[in-house]
Amino acid sequence: MATNLEEKKSHGTDYFPFECYGAQAESNRFVVYYHWHRQLEIICVNQGELVLMVEGETHVGHAGDVFFINPKQVHQLVLEQQNSSYFSFVFDPEWLDFKQTDYVQHTILNPLKDKLGFPLKVSSEQSCHKILLRDLLTIKQIYVMQPDSYRLMIKIQLYKILLLLESNQLFVPVNSAIPVNHTQTTIRIRELTDYISAHYQEHISLEQGADIMHMSPKYFSSFFAKTFLVSFTQYINHYRIDQACILLKTTDLPVMDVAFETGFENFSYFIRKFKEIKGCTPKEYRKEKAPVAGEDSQAIVGGTGEEFRKIQAVLEEL
């Protein structure tokens, strides 16, 4: 197992190990870069389009599509289109275990630890999709509103989802859902992103990236664009701009110093790329202190009914 791929972030609390997240692409793309965690993640596309890379394979989801990311699966999320959004739930399936073994524990919950996995995608073509979407929306509403006994209510809704998947025979054999070991290519992808993270302040060439991936520069260029949906140069520029945003939000460094501190050798090029990626100048960004695209999606602690209405509109069309 490539431990450097693992996301160490905790989700929820010891007494309620469940978290709800959400993200929306404003004027620029939103990315949660390659990582894995020991928890299950259920992702629902709220609006627009979500590009999901799982173990190096690309999957596209549209409003209403539901994805299940099994524990330890390496994945990356991208919102390319403006106003595209999603919400997700992250929790350890063992949280649903019964203390005393019974039929359900023996036939469903225990096998989910090593023999069965969740289906990657449930879309509108599947008969249980509408019910699943409504169950997920109910969980989202409960999480946001937090009525009395909301923790028990969420757990009951998750059991309903298990029942729905089981009754529709959607659980899959573990070998087709969860890799025993991450592929060498996936491990090298993380080595590459780790290298960029450590050396983004320096000059990073295409040849250096190709060497890390053990590929020729030409093949690496094509592979990178297919895997990350942007060119190698674009990825590095996006990463540097994200780091610049952090400095703009958390320090009083002059904008020129921020540019040089994040690996840009030409100040004019930095300004041009910043406006291209963020839709505003660095000074405007600092003034507004806008959210940093590319950070992990934020936990949802409140909201309006607008996103619920969007999902409900999708349901009405089914």
Side-chain angles (χ1 to χ4, degrees):
M1 179 65 64
T3 55
N4 60 336
L5 285 159
E6 184 178 3
E7 177 189 68
K8 300 294 186 180
K9 181 180 181 181
S10 61
H11 303 281
T13 65
D14 289 341
Y15 285 104
F16 187 56
F18 176 95
E19 196 78 77
C20 182
Y21 297 93
Q24 177 170 328
E26 300 294 345
S27 59
N28 49 277
R29 73 199 305 257
F30 179 94
V31 184
V32 178
Y33 295 113
Y34 275 104
H35 65 289
W36 66 269
H37 38 69
R38 299 178 186 275
Q39 297 81 16
L40 172 72
E41 183 169 8
I42 306 175
I43 301 168
C44 183
V45 185
N46 189 51
Q47 183 179 7
E49 181 178 284
L50 169 72
V51 180
L52 180 66
M53 282 74 91
V54 183
E55 295 293 332
E57 295 186 0
T58 301
H59 307 270
V60 179
H62 299 92
D65 285 342
V66 178
F67 293 93
F68 290 84
I69 305 299
N70 284 281
K72 301 183 182 180
Q73 283 190 317
V74 179
H75 58 286
Q76 172 175 287
L77 298 85
V78 182
L79 298 175
E80 289 278 7
Q81 300 177 358
Q82 186 174 0
N83 294 325
S84 291
S85 63
Y86 74 90
F87 64 85
S88 69
F89 308 128
V90 180
F91 64 95
D92 191 331
E94 291 191 11
W95 175 52
L96 302 177
D97 281 356
F98 298 128
K99 185 175 181 180
Q100 181 176 340
T101 297
D102 63 2
Y103 180 82
V104 175
Q105 183 71 41
H106 179 71
T107 61
I108 299 177
L109 298 178
N110 284 344
L112 280 173
K113 298 174 185 178
D114 57 5
K115 296 179 181 179
L116 293 178
F118 289 81
L120 175 63
K121 183 179 181 180
V122 177
S123 59
S124 58
E125 291 79 20
Q126 292 164 272
S127 59
C128 66
H129 173 257
K130 190 171 183 177
I131 299 174
L132 175 61
L133 202 54
R134 281 183 170 155
D135 286 344
L136 292 173
L137 180 58
T138 298
I139 293 174
K140 177 71 177 299
Q141 290 173 315
I142 293 170
Y143 186 90
V144 172
M145 304 306 178
Q146 296 194 358
D148 291 342
S149 302
Y150 76 94
R151 298 172 183 84
L152 177 58
M153 294 167 69
I154 287 176
K155 209 164 188 178
I156 291 172
Q157 289 297 321
L158 291 173
Y159 284 126
K160 287 177 63 178
I161 290 175
L162 290 182
L163 172 61
L164 184 66
L165 297 176
E166 169 67 12
S167 61
N168 284 271
Q169 299 181 326
L170 289 179
F171 288 117
V172 297
V174 68
N175 287 341
S176 63
I178 309 170
V180 176
N181 292 299
H182 298 306
T183 66
Q184 193 62 35
T185 299
T186 304
I187 294 172
R188 286 174 181 163
I189 285 174
R190 187 58 188 192
E191 289 175 352
L192 176 63
T193 56
D194 284 348
Y195 181 85
I196 293 172
S197 177
H199 298 275
Y200 70 91
Q201 296 169 302
E202 309 165 13
H203 175 72
I204 303 176
S205 68
L206 182 72
E207 288 73 20
Q208 287 173 298
D211 186 58
I212 292 172
M213 293 298 295
H214 296 191
M215 298 175 179
S216 70
K218 183 177 180 180
Y219 182 81
F220 170 72
S221 180
S222 175
F223 168 84
F224 193 95
K226 181 180 179 180
T227 303
F228 288 84
L229 306 182
V230 292
S231 70
F232 185 62
T233 300
Q234 288 173 322
Y235 179 93
I236 293 175
N237 280 336
H238 274 271
Y239 188 88
R240 286 171 172 162
I241 293 298
D242 284 345
Q243 301 310 305
C245 286
I246 295 173
L247 291 178
L248 289 168
K249 287 170 60 180
T250 60
T251 74
D252 294 323
L253 282 175
V255 174
M256 182 175 289
D257 289 352
V258 168
F260 296 140
E261 189 72 21
T262 52
F264 287 93
E265 299 175 355
N266 184 293
F267 184 60
S268 297
Y269 182 74
F270 167 72
I271 297 296
R272 185 166 70 253
K273 285 300 172 183
F274 196 101
K275 289 183 67 175
E276 177 184 310
I277 294 171
K278 297 299 179 183
C280 62
T281 67
K283 287 185 178 180
E284 290 169 341
Y285 183 91
R286 171 172 271 169
K287 185 177 180 180
E288 296 297 326
K289 292 188 176 181
V292 180
E295 291 182 342
D296 287 346
S297 51
Q298 298 298 305
I300 296 174
V301 295
T304 68
E306 180 61 27
E307 59 191 28
F308 304 139
R309 287 192 289 273
K310 291 173 184 175
I311 291 292
Q312 287 167 341
V314 172
L315 290 170
E316 292 302 320
E317 295 175 0
L318 298 177

